[in-house]
Amino acid sequence: MTAAPILSPVAVDPRALGKVAVLMGGHSAEREVSLMSGGGVLAALRRAGVDAHPFDPAERPLWALASEGFARAFIALHGRFGEDGTVQGALELMGIPYTGSGVLASSVAMDKVMTKRIWRAEGLPTPDWRQVASVEETQAAFDALGAPMIVKPAREGSTIGLTKVTAREQCAEAYRLAAHHDPEVLCEQFIAGDEVTCPVLGSGAAAQALPVIHIVAPGGNYDYQNKYFSDDTRYIVPCDLPAGEEAAIQALVLAAYRTLGCRGWARADVMIDAATRRPYLLEINTSPGMTGHSLVPMSARVAGLDYDALCLRLLADAALDNPLPAPAARGGER
Ligand SMILES: Nc1ncnc2c1ncn2[C@@H]1O[C@H](COP(=O)(O)OP(=O)(O)O)[C@@H](O)[C@H]1O
Ligand SMILES: [Mg+2]
């Protein structure tokens, strides 16, 4: 285990942050988790003295944010229409700074296939995969990648629509389940070994990886139930990995974050091959969970930042991709 970076709370006047919308709920399959995340964030920001209000884009049009005088948005939405660049784009148009990654990094990170292409092109390790569009292609992927194989939707989260395929006959059902959630489906080589996750906080040169969490799920099955509702899953942080491994994972995750152009915060999921001890990047979440069970707050706490201070720090980092006025306001030659 390496020494965790010590994070200090940001010195910020909560009132200077203006009227803040905590975006929660939304239209994605992860709506329920988002409501839990948003509720936690809202309470924390209010405790810190921020003028924070809940805002559910499933109940009101997002455009109301501009007319209601919101100065900033804390994005506690997960999945599609929240974590995928769409809400980020709308906030850009309204000129309202928001937490987390910008339009491009959000939408790339939402798509596991696109993310893996970039990581591979940059020489970062990720399990071998095939993008498939039919049962036949899923079977061909199984023949090529070998057993076991993971079949999952490219743009979903919370382990929704995911199957571990151990026999060829399972390919049809696994493909149909994944395709039910997203027409874009990916088959991925299964990495047997330790599962870890590592948050990153900050932007550009100031971005830093937080302590790695080792996740030990009952039966090695870290599914939706175990993620959000089980008391049996163990989260080991400070982690118990062999010396040097934590630092290597932190460096890898920081590179994965920077390569995609992420900012603000994110959390990458990594599998460590039991035989070779090589780490493989699975995905990066640009709007990670912030519930009572969630992993980023757990890791930040070990680094010296409690839940309330973490929320305030993320909010203070809210930004726009493009802080220039919109073209209509600027005028110009066209
Ligand atoms: N290639 C893989 N090898 C081993 N386990 C995997 C693999 N892909 C996914 N998993 C397991 O499934 C979980 C969810 O997969 P992940 O790619 O993180 O998608 P999401 O969290 O968006 O549903 C992981 O946390 C891990 O436990
Ligand atoms: Mg994941």
Side-chain angles (χ1 to χ4, degrees), residues 55-127:
F55 192 104
D56 184 347
E59 288 177 354
R60 285 195 285 164
L62 205 61
W63 310 114
L65 288 173
S67 56
E68 291 174 18
F70 283 100
R72 277 162 197 264
F74 191 115
I75 300 179
L77 298 163
H78 308 312
R80 269 177 257 184
F81 309 117
E83 190 167 356
D84 64 354
T86 55
V87 162
Q88 288 77 6
L91 292 166
E92 291 286 334
L93 286 172
M94 289 185 275
I96 299 174
Y98 53 92
T99 54
S101 289
V103 174
L104 179 64
S106 298
S107 82
V108 169
M110 188 69 215
D111 187 318
K112 292 187 172 78
V113 172
M114 203 56 84
T115 299
K116 286 165 72 70
R117 282 189 191 134
I118 293 175
W119 283 341
R120 176 157 290 185
E122 294 295 325
L124 299 175
T126 186

Side-chain angles (χ1 to χ4, degrees), residues 20 26 29 45 47 96 100 106 115 123 127 146 168 176 214 235 251 262 282:
V20 172
L45 294 179
R47 278 193 295 270
I96 299 174
S106 298
T115 299
R168 206 170 188 273
R176 286 189 197 110
H214 182 191
Y235 302 98
C262 295
L282 290 185

Side-chain angles (χ1 to χ4, degrees), residues 56-288:
D56 184 347
E59 288 177 354
R60 285 195 285 164
L62 205 61
W63 310 114
L65 288 173
S67 56
E68 291 174 18
F70 283 100
R72 277 162 197 264
F74 191 115
I75 300 179
L77 298 163
H78 308 312
R80 269 177 257 184
F81 309 117
E83 190 167 356
D84 64 354
T86 55
V87 162
Q88 288 77 6
L91 292 166
E92 291 286 334
L93 286 172
M94 289 185 275
I96 299 174
Y98 53 92
T99 54
S101 289
V103 174
L104 179 64
S106 298
S107 82
V108 169
M110 188 69 215
D111 187 318
K112 292 187 172 78
V113 172
M114 203 56 84
T115 299
K116 286 165 72 70
R117 282 189 191 134
I118 293 175
W119 283 341
R120 176 157 290 185
E122 294 295 325
L124 299 175
T126 186
D128 202 5
W129 81 96
R130 298 285 186 279
Q131 188 178 351
V132 296
S134 66
V135 170
E136 293 69 31
E137 286 181 13
T138 306
Q139 288 164 339
F142 184 80
D143 296 339
L145 297 173
M149 169 177 94
I150 294 284
V151 180
K152 57 189 171 185
R155 295 167 295 188
E156 208 39 91
S158 304
T159 324
I160 292 166
L162 179 146
T163 308
K164 179 181 173 185
V165 169
T166 50
R168 206 170 188 273
E169 309 83 76
Q170 294 171 275
C171 285
E173 202 184 324
Y175 173 75
R176 286 189 197 110
L177 177 67
H180 173 73
H181 294 280
D182 186 357
E184 201 180 307
V185 174
L186 98 131
C187 297
E188 192 171 69
Q189 203 166 47
F190 180 80
I191 306 295
D194 292 317
E195 168 149 17
V196 295
T197 194
C198 177
V200 177
L201 218 55
S203 305
Q208 58 186 146
L210 301 191
V212 170
I213 303 176
H214 182 191
I215 299 166
V216 185
N221 187 17
Y222 191 43
D223 61 11
Y224 188 79
Q225 184 62 29
N226 285 331
K227 254 179 200 169
Y228 298 108
F229 305 106
S230 170
D231 289 327
D232 298 334
T233 300
R234 290 193 307 133
Y235 302 98
I236 305 170
V237 58
C239 74
D240 54 351
L241 297 176
E245 270 189 20
E246 181 177 29
I249 287 162
Q250 288 175 314
L252 173 63
V253 166
L254 200 53
Y257 179 92
R258 291 198 167 122
T259 295
L260 296 187
C262 295
R263 92 170 173 231
W265 67 318
R267 201 200 78 227
D269 295 336
V270 176
M271 293 296 307
I272 304 169
D273 188 308
T276 64
R277 300 306 301 174
R278 284 197 63 197
Y280 290 87
L281 293 159
L282 290 185
E283 62 151 353
I284 191 159
N285 301 287
T286 54
S287 184

